[in-house]
Amino acid sequence: MTVLLQRFFHNTDETLGFLFIDGVPACFTLEDQPQTVKVFSETRIPRGTYKLALTYSPKLTPKYGHDMILVSDVPGFEGIRIHAGLTDDDTAGCVLVANGARFDPAKQKMVLVDSMTAYQRIYQIITDKLKTGIGVNLTVIDDSFNPVIRGI
């Protein structure tokens, strides 16, 4: 199984992307903004390939009722999870997933749409594979490295 997070937009507060599973579009993603120097809970993870694992999260497992997908071995980051949320205020460096995203003029930021449904869908797909004992990796690429997205 291949899981790819392809970022296609960012501003000073947030980053939008799309998650593909085995080449099939699965959902939108929302992360914090890029930073030259990491700022705790305000910086997206660097591009790269990371192992996914199912682990207990003291903050999220009680809320969701199950172990959470951990993005492992991210340099300079700990406890990066894939989960549902509404805005970049819910990320703390994590990857949020949703079926859609829209700009909210009142909040002056992107707001995710139908996040829990998307989360439940991708959680099932990824955890089914993780439970078989086969390793699953997440590869993260930036918009600046994709000529198709940039229109070049």
Side-chain angles (χ1 to χ4, degrees), residues 9-97:
F9 169 82
H10 73 264
N11 59 29
T12 57
D13 293 317
E14 59 214 353
T15 301
L16 281 174
F18 218 86
L19 193 73
F20 296 84
I21 297 177
D22 289 334
V24 177
C27 60
F28 283 89
T29 62
L30 182 70
E31 302 171 85
D32 285 317
Q33 68 274 17
Q35 305 268 16
T36 308
V37 176
K38 183 182 182 289
V39 177
F40 181 76
S41 290
E42 290 294 327
T43 306
R44 71 184 190 191
I45 61 176
R47 68 182 186 271
T49 298
Y50 308 104
K51 181 180 176 183
L52 297 181
L54 274 181
T55 64
Y56 178 84
S57 164
K59 180 179 177 183
L60 296 173
T61 296
K63 176 181 175 180
Y64 286 85
H66 54 74
D67 285 343
M68 302 299 294
I69 299 171
L70 174 72
V71 182
S72 301
D73 303 323
V74 180
F77 292 75
E78 290 184 22
I80 301 301
R81 308 286 177 168
I82 297 174
H83 61 87
L86 187 61
T87 70
D88 70 305
D89 295 332
D90 300 322
T91 64
C94 293
V95 177
L96 304 181
V97 295

Side-chain angles (χ1 to χ4, degrees), residues 112-150:
L112 294 177
V113 177
D114 202 16
S115 184
M116 188 55 78
T117 302
Y119 169 73
Q120 290 169 338
R121 184 179 62 252
I122 67 117
Y123 180 87
Q124 191 66 51
I125 294 167
I126 293 171
T127 58
D128 282 352
K129 185 58 89 174
L130 286 170
K131 289 176 181 176
T132 68
I134 297 172
V136 178
N137 293 326
L138 169 69
T139 298
V140 179
I141 60 175
D142 292 340
D143 54 300
S144 59
F145 295 94
N146 187 329
V148 173
I149 296 294
R150 296 192 67 208

